[in-house]
Structures are given as C-alpha cells and as structure tokens.
Amino acid sequence: MGATAAGLAGVAASALGPAARAEAATGATSGRLGRRFAGKVVLITGATSGIGEATARAFAREGAKVGFCGRREALGRQVEKEIRKAGGTATYIRADVRVADQVKAFVDRVAALYGRLDIAFNNAGIGVAKPPHLISVEEWDDVHHTNARGVFLAIKYEVPHMLRTGGGVIICTSSAATEVTRSTQAAYASSKRAVQGIVKASALAYGGSGIRVNAILPGVTDTAFTRPPGIPDAAWEEFKKAFGPLNIDGLQRMAEPREIADAVLGLASDEFAYMTGASVPVDGGLTAGREMDLPPGTPASGL
C-alpha cells in the first residue's frame, strides 16, 4: 500500500523538522522522482501542514500534478516552493472549505490549470477538545462546517470534472475517533462520522460512472493538530515515547504523517480498483481494542 522508496524518503523528511524538510525539498534523500502517478492531476484540501502536506509531497514525488489549498497562505506558499524545488509540480491556492464559492473556485482552477481532475483527497479538518456542555454553538458549527460541510462541498464540485473524463478517485479523511472516542470529542467525532456517511452515499451515487470514494481513519498522528503549541522538541519526543505504549496497544506509537500519506496513495492507485464506500483504519491498532487491566491477584481466566 505504501509509496515507493523515493516517495517514502521525501515525505518522511517532511515530518521531521526544518533540516529534514530541507533535505526532502532538495531531493537529497532519493536523487530522483518516482512515476507512479505520472500524468495524474491530484487535488488536496488542507495541505499546508500535517497529513495533507505529506500527501501533497508524496503525490508530487510520484509524478502527479498537485493543486492544494489551505487557509494559511505563508505555509501554503512554502510547501509549493519546496515541492517545485524538488522537481515536482504543485500549485497552492488559498481557499476556505467552509465557503462554497471558494471551494468551487479552487476545484475549477485546479482542473483548468492542469486540464483535468483524477484524484481528490478531501483532508481539511479542525477539532475542539471540550466536554459537550462546554462547547459553544459557534465552535460546534465551525467544526462541522469545516469537517463535514467542507467534504460535501469538495465532492459536489469535484464530481462534475471527474464525470467529464470518465471517472476518478476521491478519498476523504475521517478519523479513528469515530470508533474509539473520548469525552472531549463530541464535535470532532460526530463530524468525522458524518464524513463516512457522505463517503458511502457518494460511492453508491457515482460508482457506476467510474468514481471510487473511500475514507481513511487516521489514528493519533504526529502533527500540529496533536502537538500542544510551544512544547520544546525534546519534551515532545519524550512525551511521544511514553504516550504510545500507554494508549495504542497495537504498534504502541503515534503515526508519522508520511505513513498516512502512504495509505492515501495506496487507495488512490489502481491496486485498489475494486474498493469503494469503505472506511479504512490507519491507526496502528488503536481501534482493534484494548488489553484489560485486571486488579492485582486476579486468577487467570478467559478475560
């Protein structure tokens, strides 16, 4: 399911910090671009950092022409510059996925710029971590407008371009939080569950026209979405070492953004030509379950 070695090296560096990002941007880790998605046009929402950024880099390294959006213009221009410097093709366009006119303009511009639309990764998302009674109505609406309405709008405007060219692939970011949530994730988890409903309905609506639609459910991933602001690098690395074994019984670590990107590239490839309407966990075993903590002295049993 993963990208080629060249793609892996490039997106791995993008997740590690300034020095590694510079190495990835210059292509020093691989020396050449891959061609897995040569000739394909890829659109990504929410790609100025994190999973979206890693996926934009991975598709570009594999030969795709990438159009991506986000609200943070300085970051978007930097990602665009680094991808181009590495020999890839990418264009950043500022757009807010909550605003219908901006989403349509973004999708139409990418299709016009590169001549078609083959693959879309609808990834933009936000969250608020509060118990339900402390979430303001404005916060609730903002999370749902970004995460669920944003996916709906993207698909609404992507599909006509794919219908004109005989098909395509759409992948949407849901979350493992839809399966194993927490008391502070009412807004986030419900919005991401809505994404899965949109994906299933869209898969049924457009499968006969050659458009596959699937969702990925990332687990805890080392991005700015997860990392508290202002925490020093050394302290964050120590936190991650402790966090994994305590919270993720499977692989016992957080994901790197490149690992989620690998899953997206896999689902976008012809290797998964018969998969549609699926929600695929990429979570290190987070949703597989938890080992039980039994009281000391409990006799051996089938628990």
Side-chain angles (χ1 to χ4, degrees):
M1 185 181 292
T4 65
L8 281 168
V11 294
S14 74
L16 294 177
R21 285 166 63 95
E23 185 178 56
T26 59
T29 56
S30 68
R32 65 183 179 84
L33 298 180
R35 307 304 300 168
R36 189 180 183 191
F37 290 95
K40 299 293 186 181
V41 176
V42 177
L43 177 152
I44 304 175
T45 67
T48 57
S49 66
I51 292 169
E53 176 191 352
T55 306
R57 293 176 183 275
F59 271 119
R61 294 192 64 81
E62 289 296 328
K65 298 174 182 177
V66 180
F68 67 97
C69 78
R71 287 184 275 178
R72 296 172 294 180
E73 189 164 358
L75 287 176
R77 296 297 178 200
Q78 183 65 24
V79 173
E80 175 191 77
K81 178 181 177 181
E82 291 177 359
I83 290 174
R84 290 178 175 181
K85 186 176 180 180
T89 301
T91 299
Y92 165 74
I93 299 167
R94 191 188 185 286
D96 185 337
V97 298
R98 300 170 298 182
V99 182
D101 289 347
Q102 292 188 29
V103 177
K104 185 177 188 305
F106 164 60
V107 174
D108 289 349
R109 184 174 168 190
V110 171
L113 181 65
Y114 295 130
R116 57 185 295 125
L117 179 59
D118 299 296
I119 298 164
F121 179 37
N122 300 324
N123 171 71
I126 62 170
V128 57
K130 296 179 181 179
H133 77 289
L134 295 180
I135 300 171
S136 70
V137 172
E138 292 76 17
E139 288 172 328
W140 178 276
D141 287 346
D142 196 25
V143 170
H144 277 260
H145 286 172
T146 303
N147 297 358
R149 173 186 163 95
V151 165
F152 156 69
L153 290 174
I155 291 176
K156 174 179 176 62
Y157 298 122
E158 291 158 359
V159 164
H161 293 285
M162 293 181 174
L163 291 175
R164 280 195 286 273
T165 55
V169 180
I170 298 173
I171 300 162
C172 303
T173 301
S174 179
S175 173
T178 61
E179 304 297 325
V180 285
T181 195
R182 295 189 295 278
S183 62
T184 58
Q185 291 190 318
Y188 182 72
S190 60
S191 71
K192 290 300 189 177
R193 178 65 78 172
V195 170
Q196 294 178 42
I198 296 168
V199 162
K200 289 179 183 293
S202 300
L204 294 174
Y206 308 117
S209 300
I211 300 174
R212 296 192 295 111
V213 189
N214 292 294
I216 60 163
L217 282 61
V220 184
T221 305
D222 184 6
T223 68
F225 187 86
T226 302
R227 178 174 176 169
I231 185 171
D233 288 347
W236 178 241
E237 291 303 317
E238 288 302 312
F239 174 85
K240 288 197 300 177
K241 288 178 184 178
F243 178 92
L246 289 173
N247 294 280
I248 304 168
D249 283 356
L251 297 184
Q252 300 192 8
R253 63 176 177 82
M254 292 186 188
E256 296 293 337
R258 63 177 176 81
E259 295 175 303
I260 310 303
D262 288 344
V264 175
L265 267 67
L267 290 175
S269 74
D270 292 339
E271 296 166 10
F272 287 84
Y274 199 61
M275 179 181 284
T276 195
S279 295
V280 183
V282 189
D283 64 6
L286 180 66
T287 57
R290 295 299 311 266
E291 297 289 354
M292 283 190 170
D293 290 324
L294 300 177
T298 301
S301 69
L303 292 175

